[in-house]
Amino acid sequence: MVAIADATVVIPTLGRVKMALELAARLERLDPRPERTLFVFQDPSELFEWEKENASPRAKAILAPAIGASVARNRGVEEATTRYIAFLDDDCCPTRDDWLFEITKPLQQDAILLSTGPVEGWLSASSLLRRSRRAFMLATPLLIPWGNPEARTSWYCHTVAGGNFAIERDLFLKHGGFLEAFGSPSLYEETELSLRVTRGSRRSIWYSAQAPVAHNQASSGGMRLVGALPSRAFVASQKDILLRSIFGPSRGTEARVAAFRLLQVVVLIVRRLTPFRRAPSVSG
């Protein structure tokens, strides 16, 4: 008999009804299974279509009050009642039957606040040190991501991958959940949450190489609207939200944000002038 974990899987979804149905069926084959899988739809017509076709008894569809990954994930956590919350994107599918066990296991340690895992095939991830054994790291103070999102080594990291991480529900609510100021398409919300939850704490984020998901980077649909790149102005506005959350309300915030922007431009120029080769894909 398959065990049932004290965990809910929350999945924001947009424009991918068929993929969401396939993911619901896959999660039914996990061991242990989640107590509930919540698909948070942005479009009522997609929710209705999914409900007509869904055959997974533990999967439920709910509607987000607005479009955006942050809003959708927060709505899913509100609906959940379990101790643990695991987050997937609608294009991220666990490749191991024990994924839920492995992604929540680190949270049983007092030193760990959040846990994350490999995202195989994440083409738009960091371009720095992709051959590294580390994953989801930030080069401070510039917050430049680096590392290999398919790393085989489990170790501490700086941020979670939005499409593959877990946290205790009470801790998530204590910190106010995802910042809903982030719009759609979603950018930076998982980085901001990671930094906010771990700020001032000696507890950390753990990267578990034993909890991989396969990222099906489809050409359309999804919370980040793949194939419809956001404008530079929108990206800049989302970066400002991230920076102001990090620096907080203070007299020097504007100057620090301006200096941070200048440093990021310099780093961006250097990165574009420095060729790199993408690391080969590795399994978790």
Side-chain angles (χ1 to χ4, degrees):
M1 183 176 180
V2 177
I4 304 299
D6 188 10
T8 300
V9 180
V10 173
I11 306 162
T13 184
L14 177 65
R16 291 173 173 165
V17 174
K18 181 180 178 181
M19 194 175 292
L21 289 166
E22 293 172 350
L23 183 54
R26 172 67 183 102
L27 296 179
E28 282 294 318
R29 299 193 300 272
L30 295 180
D31 187 6
R33 296 171 183 164
E35 181 176 300
R36 180 64 62 87
T37 299
L38 295 174
F39 286 87
V40 190
F41 284 85
Q42 322 288 291
D43 185 334
S45 64
E46 291 181 0
L47 183 151
F48 179 69
E49 180 182 352
W50 184 90
E51 287 186 325
K52 287 195 303 182
E53 301 293 332
N54 176 52
S56 302
R58 289 180 178 79
K60 178 182 178 181
I62 59 177
L63 189 65
I67 293 178
S70 293
V71 174
R73 289 175 178 140
N74 288 346
R75 176 68 185 90
V77 176
E78 290 175 2
E79 183 79 11
T81 59
T82 54
R83 177 179 179 182
Y84 299 115
I85 304 293
F87 292 93
L88 290 171
D89 284 345
D90 57 9
D91 57 0
C92 291
C93 184
T95 60
R96 291 175 43 155
D97 289 348
D98 62 351
W99 166 80
L100 186 58
F101 172 78
E102 293 293 346
I103 199 68
T104 56
K105 181 173 67 173
L107 301 178
Q108 298 174 21
Q109 303 178 37
D110 290 340
I112 305 301
L113 288 169
L114 302 101
S115 63
T116 190
V119 181
E120 299 172 353
W122 192 4
L123 302 183
S124 61
S126 172
S127 62
L128 289 177
L129 301 178
R130 286 190 60 93
R131 295 182 183 273
S132 171
R133 294 182 178 180
R134 305 294 298 275
F136 307 125
M137 304 297 290
L138 291 175
T140 54
L142 297 180
L143 302 183
I144 301 299
W146 64 272
N148 179 6
E150 301 173 344
R152 293 179 175 179
T153 302
S154 298
W155 198 247
Y156 297 102
C157 60
H158 292 151
T159 70
V160 299
N164 185 19
F165 82 99
I167 187 173
E168 287 198 24
R169 182 176 183 271
D170 287 349
L171 180 66
F172 182 88
L173 295 174
K174 174 184 176 181
H175 287 276
F178 281 99
L179 191 62
E180 296 186 2
F182 289 107
S184 180
S186 57
L187 299 168
Y188 310 120
E189 75 281 354
E190 62 264 41
T191 300
E192 191 277 336
L193 177 71
S194 300
L195 296 174
R196 176 159 42 89
V197 170
T198 57
R199 182 185 300 157
S201 174
R202 294 185 178 181
R203 302 171 70 189
S204 305
I205 303 173
W206 184 258
Y207 171 85
S208 175
Q210 289 73 44
V213 300
H215 184 227
N216 179 11
Q217 193 152 309
S219 59
S220 63
M223 299 305 302
R224 285 176 172 78
L225 301 179
V226 177
L229 296 178
S231 67
R232 291 184 179 180
F234 178 80
V235 173
S237 71
Q238 301 303 284
K239 284 184 177 179
D240 279 357
I241 294 171
L242 172 63
L243 296 176
R244 284 176 170 77
S245 172
I246 294 169
F247 295 140
S250 67
R251 295 174 60 184
T253 292
E254 293 301 323
R256 296 173 74 180
V257 169
F260 193 95
R261 286 186 192 143
L262 178 60
L263 287 171
Q264 284 194 320
V265 169
V266 172
V267 170
L268 180 61
I269 293 173
V270 172
R271 289 174 68 179
R272 288 185 174 179
L273 294 177
T274 305
F276 68 92
R277 292 192 306 170
R278 185 174 183 270
S281 176
V282 295
S283 64

